């Protein structure tokens, strides 16, 4: 039985944080993940934004072997401790990094961590989208 963590409530981000977090990154700011397959080996993937990183990490189809008899296996892997530091130091979202430390890293398997990470990221991305929508429509509250 897989155990997942409860997602912590995150303080709403500022408009500056949303802009910083969703920007495209430079080469020296990128996060490196690995597409790992038994047949082809490991292929490094350069991730140049938080969006790219989220989509990559959550891109593993955990149930694929059940539905596709020709599935050869494979996962998208990122060192989640390093990713947490990257979210804090490069992306600039300390609250998101703290939620990752609290709700994701303590879980015992990579699969459980990634599933919990999806919940944490989903919650934060909803906050980003809501604030970004307010900024684009001019309805942003005064900070």
């Amino acid at each position: 039985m897989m155990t997942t963590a409860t997602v912590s409530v995150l303080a709403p981000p500022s408009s500056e944080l949303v802009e910083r977090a969703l920007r495209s990154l430079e080469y020296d700011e990128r996060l490196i993940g690995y597409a790992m397959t038994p047949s082809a080996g490991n292929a490094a993937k350069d991730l140049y934004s938080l969006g790219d990183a989220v989509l990559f990490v959550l891109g593993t189809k955990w149930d694929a072997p059940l539905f596709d008899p020709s599935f050869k296996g494979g996962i998208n892997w990122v060192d989640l401790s390093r990713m947490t530091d990257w979210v804090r130091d490069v992306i600039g979202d300390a609250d998101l990094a703290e939620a990752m430390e609290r709700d994701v890293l303590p879980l015992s398997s990579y699969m459980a961590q990634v599933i919990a990470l999806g919940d944490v990221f989903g919650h934060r991305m909803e906050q980003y989208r809501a604030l970004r929508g307010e900024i684009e429509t001019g309805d942003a509250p005064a900070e």
Side-chain angles (χ1 to χ4, degrees):
M1 178 177 188
M2 182 177 33
T3 305
T4 58
T6 303
V7 177
S8 299
V9 175
L10 298 170
S14 68
S15 57
E16 292 82 14
L17 174 59
V18 172
E19 292 303 315
R20 178 174 165 79
L22 298 179
R23 77 193 188 287
S24 294
L25 301 172
E26 298 296 325
Y27 180 81
D28 62 340
E29 298 175 301
R30 77 197 188 287
L31 179 68
I32 300 172
Y34 296 89
M36 304 171 89
T37 60
S39 59
N42 303 337
K45 300 291 181 182
D46 293 331
L47 306 168
Y48 288 98
S49 70
L50 180 59
D52 287 348
V54 169
L55 292 173
F56 179 78
V57 172
L58 301 181
T60 298
K61 295 176 174 67
W62 299 105
D63 58 357
L66 298 173
F67 299 110
D68 183 0
S70 65
F71 182 72
K72 301 291 186 220
I75 63 170
N76 292 344
W77 183 86
V78 171
D79 179 329
L80 295 180
S81 293
R82 179 173 279 165
M83 184 179 197
T84 300
D85 293 341
W86 179 78
V87 166
R88 179 182 295 106
D89 300 336
V90 176
I91 299 302
D93 194 336
D95 288 339
L96 178 56
E98 287 174 20
M100 292 169 68
E101 287 174 338
R102 186 177 46 248
D103 300 338
V104 175
L105 296 181
L107 299 174
S108 61
S109 74
Y110 185 72
M111 183 172 124
Q113 289 175 327
V114 169
I115 291 169
L117 191 63
D119 293 338
V120 171
F121 279 152
H123 175 67
R124 193 54 152 184
M125 293 304 128
E126 286 176 18
Q127 291 178 316
Y128 283 179
R129 275 193 295 276
L131 188 56
R132 189 165 227 186
E134 290 173 0
I135 292 167
E136 291 173 357
T137 62
D139 294 335
E143 294 180 36

